[in-house]
Amino acid sequence: MSTPKKILFYILLVISAFLVFFPVLYAFMISFMSGGEILQGKFFPKSIHFDNYIKVFDRLPLMNYLINSFIVSFGVMLGQLVVCSLAAYAFVFIPFKGREFIFFLFISTMMIPWEATMIPNFFTIQKLDWMNTYQGLTVPFFALAFGTFLLRQHFKTIPKELHEAAEVAGLGKFAFFWRVILPVSKTSLVTLGAYGFLTTWNMYLWPLLVTSTDQVRTVQIGLKQLQSQEVATEWGVVMAGVIVVIIPTLLLLFAGQKQLQKGLTQGALK
Amino acid sequence: MKADAASTPPKQLGLWRKSLNARTALLYLFPSILLFSVFIFYPMFRTIYLSFFLTDQQGAAALFVGFENYTYLFESREFRNSIKATVLFVLYTVPTGVIIALFLALIANEKLKGIGFFRTVYSSTMGISVAASSVVWLFLFHPSIGMFNRLLNVMNLPGVQWLLDPDWALVSISISTIWMNIGFSFLILLGGLQNIDEYLYESAKIDGAGYWYQLRRITIPMLSPTLFFIITISLINAFQTFGQVDILTKGGPSQATNLIVYSIYREAFVNYQFGTASAQAVFLFICILIVTILQFKLGEKKVHYQ
């Protein structure tokens, strides 16, 4: 590429990066500001101090919410990995009558928007007495057509000879799944895991419906509480809360961006 | 899951033996099938069922009314308004969002030093939750201390009541939504760009084709499956919008931002009208179904696959 063209691209890249990242950057700056500074409309805080962060942990049981979000996200992630990998294994390595049909049933669940089923689901959780529990927040999301599909695509690339060799060696189906298939599929499992964790951490509507006490409430609902309590006065505290909530997922995204992109494109297009 | 059917010796009937694989497979599929049945298939049928009933406060069907919930909905100004808001919202967010994400993907697909940093920044909004983004945008839209009105003031323009003015509220929600969705669309489109065969560009360069020619004749056609996919996903996401409405406007002012999922939520969990809420949910399902079917039908025909 010629130098002027390079410069042009860098200019475009930098401006776009600034525009895209500005809201986060601004929130970060405000999280260090006092009320007065925010009213003056400054962009850079006078000094870096953590008063707002201390306050936000004071006002809300934010630590509790963080732990809850971790438990819920990790739980859904593990559940999805187990449930989806078992299903994907059956679809690839066990030929049986009706396989196409069941696979079609799985795929058809992708067409049903979760919001269209939330009313009966809410009552199911209520009847199971799972309101305000971790089960209520996690179990409905364990089975995932997208995840099964993603893993199935990867399992399909595993050479059939490996399966035959395992059978010759007298490895049972489950042993083959556990000791051979899962280890060679680490990258897809990591992709699905990151995806599951990310989407669960960011979930909003379901936790809003099934939690009514602080006990298992997640950080996203905590943010809503914070916003409605503090809105008129302390934006610095609110923004400190925002930064605390987005750090885990941003870190996860930064670490796995390449992997995630590959996995998602594969899942989407093939 | 240890109960591996392969290890139980098949004794009697041929059928029992023949179905060995099916039984084993069902064992592996059982968790998924059970969960899908309880949390997707049953509630879908239950929603359709409830949409024909008036319900009590506990959501139990009380009185069969046939299609009356539906006729009531389509006659109600509120629901028509909600459909109108949703359609406008789709028109505001989907084309703009895809074009911006495409632009970002194109400039981030160049082989330049430090490009990884820019890719990370552009995909970052995918890691930021709807709740967190909405709270930040609530501040940006703040009438007096928000950044937008400050900028307008600097330019000597009058401030705008972003979230309080019925003419602006939906636009404001749309702006924040476009920003929230950029990360995901960008990531998928970048993946699509990177799947295009280098060879095509090399031969185009030998023929002396310029940047725009390559973009029009190679990049866009080869990217069309990905583009089509991301348009579909954006459409479906737009229909499912909830968090930003709940935090930024609560459906107001004067229902200008009462998007369909928010309307379902309010009808069911604030007004306890589970029958009409279910009818709305069925309507939402049909809309998304149509979009998905179009994706399959049109996608196969119009789109250039490698």
Short mmCIF file of all heavy atoms in Angstrom, two decimals, chain A residues 101-147:
data_model
loop_
_atom_site.label_atom_id
_atom_site.label_comp_id
_atom_site.label_asym_id
_atom_site.label_seq_id
_atom_site.Cartn_x
_atom_site.Cartn_y
_atom_site.Cartn_z
N PHE A 101 -34.66 -35.60 11.34
CA PHE A 101 -35.85 -34.96 11.88
C PHE A 101 -35.55 -34.28 13.22
O PHE A 101 -35.95 -33.14 13.46
CB PHE A 101 -36.99 -35.98 12.03
CG PHE A 101 -38.20 -35.40 12.70
CD1 PHE A 101 -39.00 -34.49 12.02
CD2 PHE A 101 -38.51 -35.73 14.01
CE1 PHE A 101 -40.11 -33.93 12.64
CE2 PHE A 101 -39.62 -35.18 14.64
CZ PHE A 101 -40.42 -34.28 13.95
N ILE A 102 -34.85 -35.00 14.10
CA ILE A 102 -34.55 -34.41 15.41
C ILE A 102 -33.63 -33.20 15.25
O ILE A 102 -33.82 -32.19 15.92
CB ILE A 102 -33.95 -35.47 16.36
CG1 ILE A 102 -34.99 -36.55 16.61
CG2 ILE A 102 -33.51 -34.83 17.67
CD1 ILE A 102 -34.58 -37.59 17.62
N PHE A 103 -32.69 -33.31 14.32
CA PHE A 103 -31.83 -32.16 14.09
C PHE A 103 -32.66 -30.96 13.61
O PHE A 103 -32.45 -29.83 14.04
CB PHE A 103 -30.73 -32.49 13.07
CG PHE A 103 -29.72 -31.40 12.92
CD1 PHE A 103 -28.89 -31.09 13.98
CD2 PHE A 103 -29.62 -30.67 11.75
CE1 PHE A 103 -27.96 -30.06 13.86
CE2 PHE A 103 -28.71 -29.65 11.63
CZ PHE A 103 -27.88 -29.35 12.69
N PHE A 104 -33.61 -31.24 12.74
CA PHE A 104 -34.49 -30.17 12.26
C PHE A 104 -35.27 -29.55 13.42
O PHE A 104 -35.41 -28.32 13.50
CB PHE A 104 -35.44 -30.73 11.20
CG PHE A 104 -36.53 -29.78 10.82
CD1 PHE A 104 -36.27 -28.70 9.97
CD2 PHE A 104 -37.81 -29.92 11.34
CE1 PHE A 104 -37.28 -27.81 9.65
CE2 PHE A 104 -38.81 -29.03 11.03
CZ PHE A 104 -38.54 -27.97 10.17
N LEU A 105 -35.75 -30.40 14.34
CA LEU A 105 -36.46 -29.89 15.52
C LEU A 105 -35.56 -28.94 16.32
O LEU A 105 -35.98 -27.87 16.75
CB LEU A 105 -36.87 -31.05 16.43
CG LEU A 105 -38.26 -31.64 16.27
CD1 LEU A 105 -38.52 -32.65 17.37
CD2 LEU A 105 -39.31 -30.53 16.32
N PHE A 106 -34.31 -29.35 16.48
CA PHE A 106 -33.35 -28.51 17.22
C PHE A 106 -33.19 -27.15 16.54
O PHE A 106 -33.28 -26.11 17.17
CB PHE A 106 -31.98 -29.21 17.28
CG PHE A 106 -31.82 -30.13 18.45
CD1 PHE A 106 -32.80 -31.05 18.75
CD2 PHE A 106 -30.69 -30.07 19.24
CE1 PHE A 106 -32.66 -31.92 19.83
CE2 PHE A 106 -30.53 -30.93 20.32
CZ PHE A 106 -31.51 -31.85 20.61
N ILE A 107 -32.95 -27.21 15.22
CA ILE A 107 -32.73 -25.97 14.48
C ILE A 107 -33.96 -25.08 14.54
O ILE A 107 -33.88 -23.86 14.62
CB ILE A 107 -32.35 -26.28 13.01
CG1 ILE A 107 -31.00 -26.99 12.96
CG2 ILE A 107 -32.30 -25.03 12.17
CD1 ILE A 107 -29.85 -26.21 13.53
N SER A 108 -35.15 -25.73 14.53
CA SER A 108 -36.38 -24.93 14.53
C SER A 108 -36.52 -24.10 15.81
O SER A 108 -37.19 -23.07 15.82
CB SER A 108 -37.60 -25.83 14.33
OG SER A 108 -37.83 -26.58 15.50
N THR A 109 -35.86 -24.53 16.89
CA THR A 109 -35.96 -23.73 18.11
C THR A 109 -35.32 -22.36 17.95
O THR A 109 -35.64 -21.43 18.67
CB THR A 109 -35.27 -24.43 19.31
OG1 THR A 109 -33.88 -24.56 19.02
CG2 THR A 109 -35.87 -25.77 19.59
N MET A 110 -34.42 -22.25 16.97
CA MET A 110 -33.77 -20.95 16.75
C MET A 110 -34.76 -19.91 16.21
O MET A 110 -34.51 -18.72 16.28
CB MET A 110 -32.62 -21.10 15.76
CG MET A 110 -31.41 -21.79 16.36
SD MET A 110 -29.92 -21.28 15.51
CE MET A 110 -29.39 -22.76 14.75
N MET A 111 -35.87 -20.41 15.63
CA MET A 111 -36.84 -19.47 15.05
C MET A 111 -37.81 -18.95 16.10
O MET A 111 -38.59 -18.06 15.83
CB MET A 111 -37.63 -20.16 13.96
CG MET A 111 -36.79 -20.51 12.77
SD MET A 111 -37.85 -21.24 11.53
CE MET A 111 -36.64 -22.13 10.59
N ILE A 112 -37.81 -19.57 17.27
CA ILE A 112 -38.75 -19.13 18.30
C ILE A 112 -38.05 -18.11 19.19
O ILE A 112 -37.11 -18.44 19.90
CB ILE A 112 -39.24 -20.32 19.15
CG1 ILE A 112 -39.92 -21.34 18.24
CG2 ILE A 112 -40.18 -19.84 20.24
CD1 ILE A 112 -40.42 -22.57 18.96
N PRO A 113 -38.47 -16.86 19.12
CA PRO A 113 -37.81 -15.85 19.94
C PRO A 113 -38.11 -16.13 21.41
O PRO A 113 -39.24 -16.46 21.77
CB PRO A 113 -38.44 -14.54 19.49
CG PRO A 113 -39.74 -14.92 18.90
CD PRO A 113 -39.60 -16.30 18.36
N TRP A 114 -37.11 -16.01 22.22
CA TRP A 114 -37.24 -16.32 23.62
C TRP A 114 -38.34 -15.46 24.26
O TRP A 114 -39.08 -15.93 25.13
CB TRP A 114 -35.89 -16.08 24.27
CG TRP A 114 -35.93 -16.43 25.68
CD1 TRP A 114 -35.77 -17.66 26.21
CD2 TRP A 114 -36.23 -15.54 26.74
NE1 TRP A 114 -35.95 -17.59 27.55
CE2 TRP A 114 -36.23 -16.31 27.90
CE3 TRP A 114 -36.50 -14.17 26.82
CZ2 TRP A 114 -36.49 -15.76 29.14
CZ3 TRP A 114 -36.76 -13.63 28.04
CH2 TRP A 114 -36.76 -14.40 29.19
N GLU A 115 -38.47 -14.24 23.79
CA GLU A 115 -39.46 -13.33 24.38
C GLU A 115 -40.89 -13.79 24.13
O GLU A 115 -41.79 -13.41 24.86
CB GLU A 115 -39.28 -11.92 23.82
CG GLU A 115 -38.02 -11.20 24.26
CD GLU A 115 -36.80 -11.64 23.49
OE1 GLU A 115 -36.93 -12.49 22.59
OE2 GLU A 115 -35.70 -11.15 23.79
N ALA A 116 -41.09 -14.61 23.08
CA ALA A 116 -42.44 -15.07 22.78
C ALA A 116 -42.87 -16.17 23.74
O ALA A 116 -44.03 -16.53 23.79
CB ALA A 116 -42.52 -15.56 21.34
N THR A 117 -41.92 -16.72 24.49
CA THR A 117 -42.26 -17.81 25.39
C THR A 117 -42.09 -17.43 26.86
O THR A 117 -42.25 -18.26 27.73
CB THR A 117 -41.35 -19.03 25.11
OG1 THR A 117 -40.00 -18.64 25.27
CG2 THR A 117 -41.55 -19.57 23.72
N MET A 118 -41.79 -16.16 27.11
CA MET A 118 -41.40 -15.82 28.48
C MET A 118 -42.56 -15.91 29.48
O MET A 118 -42.31 -16.16 30.66
CB MET A 118 -40.76 -14.43 28.53
CG MET A 118 -41.70 -13.29 28.27
SD MET A 118 -40.77 -11.75 28.34
CE MET A 118 -41.99 -10.57 27.81
N ILE A 119 -43.78 -15.73 29.03
CA ILE A 119 -44.89 -15.75 29.98
C ILE A 119 -45.09 -17.15 30.59
O ILE A 119 -45.02 -17.29 31.81
CB ILE A 119 -46.19 -15.20 29.34
CG1 ILE A 119 -45.98 -13.73 28.95
CG2 ILE A 119 -47.36 -15.34 30.28
CD1 ILE A 119 -47.05 -13.17 28.05
N PRO A 120 -45.26 -18.20 29.75
CA PRO A 120 -45.35 -19.54 30.37
C PRO A 120 -44.08 -19.93 31.12
O PRO A 120 -44.17 -20.58 32.17
CB PRO A 120 -45.56 -20.47 29.17
CG PRO A 120 -46.09 -19.61 28.11
CD PRO A 120 -45.49 -18.26 28.31
N ASN A 121 -42.92 -19.54 30.60
CA ASN A 121 -41.68 -19.87 31.30
C ASN A 121 -41.64 -19.27 32.70
O ASN A 121 -41.20 -19.90 33.65
CB ASN A 121 -40.47 -19.39 30.50
CG ASN A 121 -40.06 -20.41 29.46
OD1 ASN A 121 -40.29 -21.60 29.62
ND2 ASN A 121 -39.45 -19.93 28.39
N PHE A 122 -42.13 -18.04 32.79
CA PHE A 122 -42.19 -17.40 34.09
C PHE A 122 -43.05 -18.22 35.06
O PHE A 122 -42.66 -18.47 36.20
CB PHE A 122 -42.76 -15.99 33.92
CG PHE A 122 -43.02 -15.28 35.22
CD1 PHE A 122 -41.98 -14.67 35.90
CD2 PHE A 122 -44.29 -15.22 35.75
CE1 PHE A 122 -42.21 -14.01 37.10
CE2 PHE A 122 -44.53 -14.57 36.94
CZ PHE A 122 -43.49 -13.96 37.61
N PHE A 123 -44.20 -18.71 34.57
CA PHE A 123 -45.07 -19.50 35.44
C PHE A 123 -44.46 -20.86 35.76
O PHE A 123 -44.65 -21.38 36.87
CB PHE A 123 -46.46 -19.66 34.81
CG PHE A 123 -47.23 -18.37 34.82
CD1 PHE A 123 -47.60 -17.75 33.64
CD2 PHE A 123 -47.55 -17.76 36.02
CE1 PHE A 123 -48.30 -16.56 33.67
CE2 PHE A 123 -48.25 -16.57 36.05
CZ PHE A 123 -48.61 -15.96 34.86
N THR A 124 -43.73 -21.44 34.79
CA THR A 124 -43.06 -22.71 35.07
C THR A 124 -42.07 -22.54 36.22
O THR A 124 -42.04 -23.34 37.16
CB THR A 124 -42.29 -23.19 33.82
OG1 THR A 124 -43.20 -23.29 32.73
CG2 THR A 124 -41.66 -24.55 34.06
N ILE A 125 -41.28 -21.49 36.13
CA ILE A 125 -40.29 -21.24 37.18
C ILE A 125 -40.99 -21.03 38.53
O ILE A 125 -40.56 -21.51 39.57
CB ILE A 125 -39.42 -20.01 36.81
CG1 ILE A 125 -38.60 -20.30 35.56
CG2 ILE A 125 -38.52 -19.59 37.96
CD1 ILE A 125 -37.64 -21.46 35.70
N GLN A 126 -42.12 -20.33 38.47
CA GLN A 126 -42.88 -20.09 39.70
C GLN A 126 -43.40 -21.40 40.29
O GLN A 126 -43.30 -21.64 41.49
CB GLN A 126 -44.06 -19.18 39.37
CG GLN A 126 -44.33 -18.16 40.43
CD GLN A 126 -45.40 -17.18 39.99
OE1 GLN A 126 -46.29 -17.51 39.21
NE2 GLN A 126 -45.32 -15.97 40.49
N LYS A 127 -43.92 -22.27 39.40
CA LYS A 127 -44.48 -23.55 39.88
C LYS A 127 -43.39 -24.46 40.41
O LYS A 127 -43.62 -25.22 41.35
CB LYS A 127 -45.23 -24.24 38.74
CG LYS A 127 -46.58 -23.60 38.48
CD LYS A 127 -47.57 -24.57 37.85
CE LYS A 127 -48.86 -23.82 37.55
NZ LYS A 127 -48.87 -23.31 36.15
N LEU A 128 -42.22 -24.41 39.80
CA LEU A 128 -41.11 -25.22 40.30
C LEU A 128 -40.53 -24.65 41.59
O LEU A 128 -39.63 -25.23 42.18
CB LEU A 128 -40.00 -25.29 39.24
CG LEU A 128 -40.26 -26.10 37.99
CD1 LEU A 128 -39.18 -25.82 36.93
CD2 LEU A 128 -40.28 -27.58 38.32
N ASP A 129 -41.06 -23.50 41.98
CA ASP A 129 -40.54 -22.80 43.15
C ASP A 129 -39.08 -22.39 42.94
O ASP A 129 -38.26 -22.48 43.84
CB ASP A 129 -40.67 -23.69 44.41
CG ASP A 129 -40.89 -22.82 45.65
OD1 ASP A 129 -41.05 -21.60 45.45
OD2 ASP A 129 -40.89 -23.35 46.76
N TRP A 130 -38.78 -21.99 41.72
CA TRP A 130 -37.41 -21.60 41.37
C TRP A 130 -37.23 -20.08 41.28
O TRP A 130 -36.21 -19.62 40.77
CB TRP A 130 -37.01 -22.21 40.03
CG TRP A 130 -36.61 -23.65 40.12
CD1 TRP A 130 -36.64 -24.44 41.22
CD2 TRP A 130 -36.11 -24.47 39.04
NE1 TRP A 130 -36.20 -25.71 40.90
CE2 TRP A 130 -35.86 -25.74 39.58
CE3 TRP A 130 -35.86 -24.23 37.68
CZ2 TRP A 130 -35.37 -26.79 38.80
CZ3 TRP A 130 -35.37 -25.27 36.90
CH2 TRP A 130 -35.12 -26.54 37.47
N MET A 131 -38.24 -19.32 41.73
CA MET A 131 -38.06 -17.87 41.74
C MET A 131 -36.92 -17.55 42.71
O MET A 131 -36.80 -18.20 43.75
CB MET A 131 -39.33 -17.17 42.24
CG MET A 131 -40.53 -17.33 41.34
SD MET A 131 -40.33 -16.52 39.75
CE MET A 131 -40.56 -14.82 40.23
N ASN A 132 -36.10 -16.56 42.36
CA ASN A 132 -34.98 -16.18 43.22
C ASN A 132 -34.04 -17.34 43.55
O ASN A 132 -33.57 -17.47 44.68
CB ASN A 132 -35.49 -15.56 44.53
CG ASN A 132 -36.15 -14.23 44.28
OD1 ASN A 132 -35.57 -13.36 43.63
ND2 ASN A 132 -37.36 -14.07 44.77
N THR A 133 -33.80 -18.17 42.56
CA THR A 133 -32.80 -19.22 42.75
C THR A 133 -31.85 -19.23 41.55
O THR A 133 -32.18 -18.72 40.48
CB THR A 133 -33.42 -20.63 42.83
OG1 THR A 133 -34.06 -20.90 41.57
CG2 THR A 133 -34.43 -20.75 43.95
N TYR A 134 -30.68 -19.84 41.76
CA TYR A 134 -29.75 -19.97 40.64
C TYR A 134 -30.30 -20.88 39.55
O TYR A 134 -30.08 -20.64 38.37
CB TYR A 134 -28.40 -20.50 41.14
CG TYR A 134 -27.65 -19.52 42.01
CD1 TYR A 134 -27.22 -19.88 43.27
CD2 TYR A 134 -27.37 -18.24 41.55
CE1 TYR A 134 -26.53 -18.98 44.08
CE2 TYR A 134 -26.69 -17.34 42.34
CZ TYR A 134 -26.27 -17.72 43.61
OH TYR A 134 -25.60 -16.82 44.39
N GLN A 135 -31.02 -21.94 39.96
CA GLN A 135 -31.59 -22.83 38.95
C GLN A 135 -32.49 -22.05 38.01
O GLN A 135 -32.43 -22.23 36.79
CB GLN A 135 -32.47 -23.93 39.55
CG GLN A 135 -31.91 -24.81 40.62
CD GLN A 135 -32.17 -24.20 41.98
OE1 GLN A 135 -31.50 -23.24 42.35
NE2 GLN A 135 -33.12 -24.72 42.74
N GLY A 136 -33.35 -21.22 38.60
CA GLY A 136 -34.29 -20.46 37.78
C GLY A 136 -33.59 -19.57 36.78
O GLY A 136 -34.08 -19.32 35.68
N LEU A 137 -32.41 -19.06 37.17
CA LEU A 137 -31.68 -18.16 36.29
C LEU A 137 -30.86 -18.90 35.24
O LEU A 137 -30.51 -18.33 34.21
CB LEU A 137 -30.73 -17.28 37.12
CG LEU A 137 -31.38 -16.13 37.88
CD1 LEU A 137 -30.43 -15.57 38.93
CD2 LEU A 137 -31.81 -15.03 36.93
N THR A 138 -30.53 -20.16 35.50
CA THR A 138 -29.60 -20.84 34.59
C THR A 138 -30.23 -21.96 33.75
O THR A 138 -30.04 -21.99 32.53
CB THR A 138 -28.42 -21.47 35.38
OG1 THR A 138 -28.96 -22.31 36.40
CG2 THR A 138 -27.55 -20.42 36.01
N VAL A 139 -30.95 -22.87 34.40
CA VAL A 139 -31.38 -24.10 33.72
C VAL A 139 -32.12 -23.86 32.38
O VAL A 139 -31.86 -24.56 31.41
CB VAL A 139 -32.21 -25.00 34.67
CG1 VAL A 139 -32.75 -26.22 33.95
CG2 VAL A 139 -31.37 -25.41 35.86
N PRO A 140 -33.02 -22.86 32.29
CA PRO A 140 -33.72 -22.68 31.01
C PRO A 140 -32.79 -22.42 29.83
O PRO A 140 -33.20 -22.55 28.69
CB PRO A 140 -34.61 -21.46 31.26
CG PRO A 140 -34.81 -21.43 32.72
CD PRO A 140 -33.55 -21.95 33.32
N PHE A 141 -31.52 -22.08 30.09
CA PHE A 141 -30.64 -21.71 28.98
C PHE A 141 -29.59 -22.77 28.67
O PHE A 141 -28.71 -22.55 27.85
CB PHE A 141 -29.96 -20.37 29.28
CG PHE A 141 -30.96 -19.29 29.53
CD1 PHE A 141 -31.30 -18.90 30.82
CD2 PHE A 141 -31.63 -18.70 28.47
CE1 PHE A 141 -32.25 -17.94 31.05
CE2 PHE A 141 -32.59 -17.73 28.70
CZ PHE A 141 -32.90 -17.34 29.98
N PHE A 142 -29.67 -23.92 29.34
CA PHE A 142 -28.67 -24.96 29.13
C PHE A 142 -28.68 -25.52 27.70
O PHE A 142 -27.65 -25.75 27.10
CB PHE A 142 -28.87 -26.12 30.11
CG PHE A 142 -28.32 -25.83 31.49
CD1 PHE A 142 -27.72 -24.62 31.76
CD2 PHE A 142 -28.40 -26.78 32.49
CE1 PHE A 142 -27.22 -24.34 33.02
CE2 PHE A 142 -27.90 -26.51 33.76
CZ PHE A 142 -27.31 -25.29 34.03
N ALA A 143 -29.87 -25.79 27.18
CA ALA A 143 -29.94 -26.35 25.82
C ALA A 143 -29.93 -25.19 24.83
O ALA A 143 -30.64 -24.21 24.99
CB ALA A 143 -31.21 -27.17 25.65
N LEU A 144 -29.07 -25.31 23.82
CA LEU A 144 -28.88 -24.20 22.90
C LEU A 144 -28.66 -24.75 21.49
O LEU A 144 -27.65 -25.43 21.25
CB LEU A 144 -27.67 -23.38 23.36
CG LEU A 144 -27.33 -22.14 22.57
CD1 LEU A 144 -28.36 -21.06 22.81
CD2 LEU A 144 -25.96 -21.64 22.96
N ALA A 145 -29.59 -24.46 20.59
CA ALA A 145 -29.46 -25.00 19.24
C ALA A 145 -28.19 -24.46 18.57
O ALA A 145 -27.45 -25.22 17.94
CB ALA A 145 -30.68 -24.62 18.41
N PHE A 146 -27.93 -23.19 18.76
CA PHE A 146 -26.74 -22.59 18.14
C PHE A 146 -25.47 -23.30 18.60
O PHE A 146 -24.58 -23.60 17.81
CB PHE A 146 -26.68 -21.10 18.48
CG PHE A 146 -25.39 -20.44 18.10
CD1 PHE A 146 -25.07 -20.20 16.77
CD2 PHE A 146 -24.46 -20.09 19.07
CE1 PHE A 146 -23.87 -19.62 16.42
CE2 PHE A 146 -23.26 -19.50 18.73
CZ PHE A 146 -22.96 -19.27 17.41
N GLY A 147 -25.40 -23.60 19.90
CA GLY A 147 -24.23 -24.28 20.45
C GLY A 147 -24.08 -25.69 19.89
O GLY A 147 -22.98 -26.11 19.53
#
